[in-house]
Amino acid sequence: MSENVKCVPFATTADIVNLWRPLSDGEMTRAEYLLSTASDTLRQTARSRGYDLDQMIADGNVYVNVVIDVVVAAVTRVLRASTTSEPMTQISQSALGYSFSGTYLNPQGGIFYYDNELGRLGLKKKQRLGRIELYDPGHNDCPL
């Protein structure tokens, strides 16, 4: 693919409205940029794992709906994050011990995909099972 070619997003703002909720005008503009970035992020993730996501979509029409769902989920995570305060989902405070802890909604501050989403797309690296033979009874080199 050429450097100057802009890739088409996998999902549209209509998909976000249909799968999540209606968007305000400001959210709609932001979502258009996020959809493009989320799609390219997913393309790059697939490419780094040896897959051509555009070709996988062209090969099967059921697969495209899963891709749309995953991209919409990533974009809505970013849209749910507060832009006016700390985007925390859980906060714990203490008084005299001066303690504070919190869990961020989007810890990386950008678009990311969960492992289970990548697994749904078949992009998660498969776990391998291997073993090392520590004792080989055929070789008795160690005198006791």
Side-chain angles (χ1 to χ4, degrees):
M1 212 177 269
S2 173
E3 295 283 331
N4 298 330
V5 175
K6 186 167 178 139
C7 295
V8 177
F10 293 126
T12 64
T13 52
D15 294 321
I16 294 176
V17 169
N18 291 332
L19 292 172
W20 189 43
R21 68 166 171 79
L23 301 173
S24 68
D25 292 337
E27 288 176 326
M28 190 72 77
T29 303
R30 189 169 178 224
E32 288 173 7
Y33 287 106
L34 289 171
L35 285 168
S36 179
T37 303
S39 296
D40 288 344
T41 300
L42 191 57
R43 274 187 185 94
Q44 183 58 37
T45 301
R47 186 175 296 138
S48 70
R49 296 175 184 201
Y51 297 99
D52 183 357
L53 202 55
D54 292 300
Q55 185 61 46
M56 292 168 72
I57 288 172
D59 290 345
N61 20 344
V62 175
Y63 193 75
V64 70
N65 290 327
V66 179
V67 173
I68 289 170
D69 185 47
V70 168
V71 169
V72 167
V75 169
T76 57
R77 273 194 293 275
V78 175
L79 289 174
R80 274 183 277 162
S82 174
T83 56
T84 57
S85 65
E86 290 298 322
M88 297 219 162
T89 59
Q90 184 178 9
I91 295 175
S92 174
Q93 297 178 349
S94 221
L96 297 175
Y98 302 107
S99 175
F100 174 85
S101 67
T103 305
Y104 287 94
L105 174 67
N106 189 349
Q108 298 171 342
I111 294 171
F112 66 96
Y113 293 98
Y114 290 123
D115 282 341
N116 66 342
E117 292 170 338
L118 296 176
R120 286 174 52 203
L121 295 172
L123 301 179
K124 190 173 176 191
K125 292 190 177 186
K126 304 285 187 224
Q127 191 173 25
R128 295 186 319 168
L129 178 63
R131 67 187 178 121
I132 298 173
E133 189 65 45
L134 296 177
Y135 173 72
D136 186 4
H139 298 289
N140 198 0
D141 296 337
C142 182
L144 295 175

